Amino acid sequence: MFATSFCRRRLLLHIRKIPGGGTNRVPSIPGAIHLAHSYSSTAVSSVPNSELCPATVSYLISCGLSPAAAATTQKTRILSNDKADAARALLRDYGFTDADIVRTVRSATSILIVDPERILRPKLDFFASLGLEPRKIATAPFLLARSLDKHLVPSMQFLRGIIGSDDDLRLGFSRVPRALMADVDKNMRPAVEALRRCGLTEAAISKLLVIHMGMLMASPDRIREVFEELKAIGMRISDSRFLYCFSAMCGVKRGAWRRKLELFQSFGVSEGEVLEAFKTQPTILLSADDNLKQKVRFLLDELKLGISDMMSRPVILAYSLERCILPRCAVLSVLMREGRIQRDIRLPQALLGNSKIFSARFVLRYADDVPDVVKAYEGKIKFEGFV
């Protein structure tokens, strides 16, 4: 179970705003960091030996790692199975599932060789006091190998000073857990200062970090470059879409924008249409080129949608082909076959909307009379065209 309310109150003493974190700063409580100072991950060590340790590999396989994954951990040797077992048991006590533990151990094997009570528990208490979910921590397991007093506490202090709300802090972390790996002085503070210099208000910076906390890992030069790129395509800071476009463009490598533009132009789309589509649905920039090309080809060739239909409703290009578009098409195909919907239904409108809306309109509504719609939505009936 997570930490008790007493532990929560005690640990929350750490999360105080520090200078440079943002507006409305409050002074740190004298001595508030002394608990964190007692628990550093400097005790984490590994044996500098490039040879595989059969006992370690065997143990990791018993934890659920594949032989190949276990074989990549030659820098860590498990000398005490009891200590490793205790570490895994502790993770379970804090809500980590078996899958979370496998993911954590695979990327941060060193947590199996530290003192669970002295090193791991204080960090788990700290994360629990903030309401951070174990499954999210498991996506960035190296956080458990970072020093509590030298890294985790200062990072959270800084972020709380910028974001303000604990709810927003949790939301931002849950979207990009690895952002907490960024160093306050080397990454976080320079990134925030760059955003200020580019003209963003404190409120806008706070919102941007909630949208994509990974911004803290961008260099000041990259931040300035993205501002210039958005300015060049007519995006103003005052535009309500600006922060989302900024986040998306920062999430791709340099040159990706030009490649995406050329890809769409190969389908006969003008530069102006691409720019408008990007401003409306910035995440189209985040799709891999091959995936985007496959998606466009499917919509053109199989669904007979016009390219103008896609560009005027670019959200459809942000949907996953395998997990979203194909299952929805399979459902619509079943309903057409059973005569429950017209074959000339307007596909763009039918396919759009979140899963709750689509499910209510086309799955739950017909599930009793046409059970196949449930199977189609679950991927058990594949889409083979609108016959």
Side-chain angles (χ1 to χ4, degrees):
M1 299 295 294
F2 270 163
T4 64
S5 58
F6 170 77
C7 184
R8 182 183 183 87
R9 291 194 300 270
R10 190 180 182 191
L11 284 165
L12 282 176
L13 291 176
H14 297 307
I15 311 301
R16 308 294 296 175
K17 298 177 184 179
I18 57 176
T23 58
N24 301 321
R25 302 178 183 116
V26 296
S28 298
I29 297 176
I33 305 299
H34 78 278
L35 178 64
H37 186 76
S38 300
Y39 298 101
S40 169
S41 55
T42 54
V44 175
S45 61
S46 58
V47 178
N49 194 323
S50 60
E51 296 181 2
L52 290 176
C53 173
T56 296
V57 171
S58 178
Y59 182 86
L60 293 175
I61 292 174
S62 74
C63 293
L65 273 68
S66 68
T72 64
T73 60
Q74 64 265 31
K75 290 186 178 180
T76 300
R77 296 205 169 190
I78 298 173
L79 304 179
S80 170
N81 283 7
D82 289 342
K83 181 181 289 186
D85 288 342
R88 292 164 60 204
L90 187 62
L91 292 176
R92 289 192 190 93
D93 288 344
Y94 279 78
F96 284 70
T97 65
D98 288 343
D100 293 334
I101 293 173
V102 169
R103 189 171 190 175
T104 300
V105 169
R106 182 170 57 236
S107 299
T109 314
S110 61
I111 67 169
L112 297 177
I113 63 174
V114 300
D115 185 324
E117 292 298 321
R118 192 174 68 86
I119 301 297
L120 281 184
R121 187 180 290 279
K123 297 173 188 177
L124 293 170
D125 281 343
F126 180 72
F127 287 129
S129 73
L130 297 171
L132 304 183
E133 299 179 71
R135 65 187 180 89
K136 296 298 183 179
I137 299 171
T139 67
F142 282 112
L143 290 174
L144 293 174
R146 299 305 297 267
S147 170
L148 184 59
D149 59 328
K150 295 180 180 178
H151 183 85
L152 298 178
V153 169
S155 295
M156 282 298 185
Q157 286 177 322
F158 183 83
L159 289 174
R160 198 182 193 198
I162 295 293
I163 296 175
S165 162
D166 282 354
D167 287 341
D168 284 342
L169 182 60
R170 281 189 290 271
L171 178 58
F173 174 84
S174 69
R175 288 171 171 169
V176 191
R178 64 184 177 84
L180 197 54
M181 292 293 293
D183 182 87
V184 171
D185 293 321
K186 294 180 181 178
N187 307 112
M188 293 186 181
R189 187 171 284 110
V192 170
E193 289 301 328
L195 293 171
R196 288 170 177 152
R197 287 195 297 272
C198 288
L200 287 189
T201 64
E202 296 301 312
I205 294 173
S206 173
K207 183 176 180 179
L208 178 61
L209 295 188
V210 175
I211 293 171
H212 188 50
M213 198 175 283
M215 281 297 313
L216 295 169
M217 305 177 83
S219 70
D221 287 345
R222 178 56 180 158
I223 289 172
R224 185 168 52 253
E225 185 179 67
V226 171
F227 264 93
E228 292 300 321
E229 290 173 346
L230 290 177
K231 182 179 178 181
I233 64 173
M235 283 295 294
R236 298 175 179 272
I237 292 179
S238 57
D239 192 316
S240 61
R241 302 170 296 179
F242 181 87
L243 296 180
Y244 296 94
C245 291
F246 186 87
S247 171
M249 194 166 282
C250 270
V252 297
K253 296 180 180 179
R254 294 176 176 84
W257 168 250
R258 179 54 54 182
R259 290 198 310 274
K260 289 293 189 299
L261 181 59
E262 292 172 352
L263 189 156
F264 279 115
Q265 289 178 321
S266 71
F267 288 103
V269 183
S270 70
E271 181 172 342
E273 288 176 303
V274 178
L275 293 179
E276 284 307 310
F278 167 69
K279 292 174 184 178
T280 303
Q281 187 64 42
T283 55
I284 62 174
L285 191 62
L286 303 179
S287 297
D289 290 357
D290 289 343
N291 290 342
L292 189 57
K293 187 181 299 183
Q294 181 185 19
K295 206 178 302 181
V296 172
R297 279 263 66 99
F298 175 82
L299 295 173
L300 288 173
D301 300 340
E302 298 296 328
L303 303 192
K304 308 302 179 184
L305 297 184
I307 192 68
S308 59
D309 289 324
M310 296 178 225
M311 302 313 290
S312 62
R313 302 175 182 85
V315 66
I316 198 171
L317 296 174
Y319 291 167
S320 166
L321 181 61
E322 296 295 330
R323 296 191 304 273
C324 181
I325 297 176
L326 287 175
R328 293 186 181 192
C329 286
V331 168
L332 297 177
S333 179
V334 167
L335 293 175
M336 288 180 188
R337 185 188 68 208
E338 296 295 327
R340 297 308 178 102
I341 62 174
Q342 297 298 316
R343 293 185 178 278
D344 61 353
I345 188 174
R346 300 182 68 179
L347 286 175
Q349 290 87 336
L351 291 172
L352 295 179
N354 61 39
S355 58
K356 185 177 181 179
I357 293 174
F358 182 88
S359 179
R361 185 180 178 191
F362 295 110
V363 182
L364 299 178
R365 180 180 177 183
Y366 298 102
D368 291 338
D369 297 329
V370 188
D372 278 354
V373 294
V374 177
K375 295 179 181 179
Y377 199 48
E378 293 175 346
K380 296 175 182 177
I381 295 178
K382 301 300 182 182
F383 175 67
E384 297 180 352
F386 295 115
V387 182

